[in-house]
């Protein structure tokens, strides 16, 4: 996975009916855009994230 500051991290729900989580990549701490990322989620929380296989990165809109 590769991300840049300002990209959006999308994490799909794990169960039926669970909503997708979306956040903005605020900081990239890995080499060459690799995880971990500091992400600000749409609910305002920030955290350090190592995305799993259920996540993907989209460029800013």
């Amino acid at each position: 996975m590769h991300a840049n500051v300002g990209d959006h991290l999308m994490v799909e729900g794990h169960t039926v009916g669970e909503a997708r989580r979306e956040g903005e990549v605020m900081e990239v701490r890995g080499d060459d855009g690799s995880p971990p990322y500091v992400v600000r989620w749409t609910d305002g929380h920030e955290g350090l994230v190592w995305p799993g296989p259920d996540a993907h990165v989209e460029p800013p809109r």
Side-chain angles (χ1 to χ4, degrees):
M1 180 173 290
H2 179 272
N4 296 301
V5 171
D7 286 348
H8 290 263
L9 181 67
M10 311 293 239
V11 180
E12 301 300 329
H14 295 283
T15 59
V16 174
E18 185 178 8
R20 174 193 310 188
R21 291 190 71 194
E22 180 178 346
E24 181 180 353
V25 176
M26 305 304 292
E27 183 180 343
V28 177
R29 293 195 178 172
D31 295 331
D32 299 321
S34 62
Y37 308 126
V38 175
V39 175
R40 179 180 300 141
W41 300 103
T42 54
D43 66 3
H45 287 90
E46 289 188 16
L48 189 61
V49 179
W50 282 266
D54 57 343
H56 65 276
V57 174
E58 294 184 2
R61 298 176 207 155

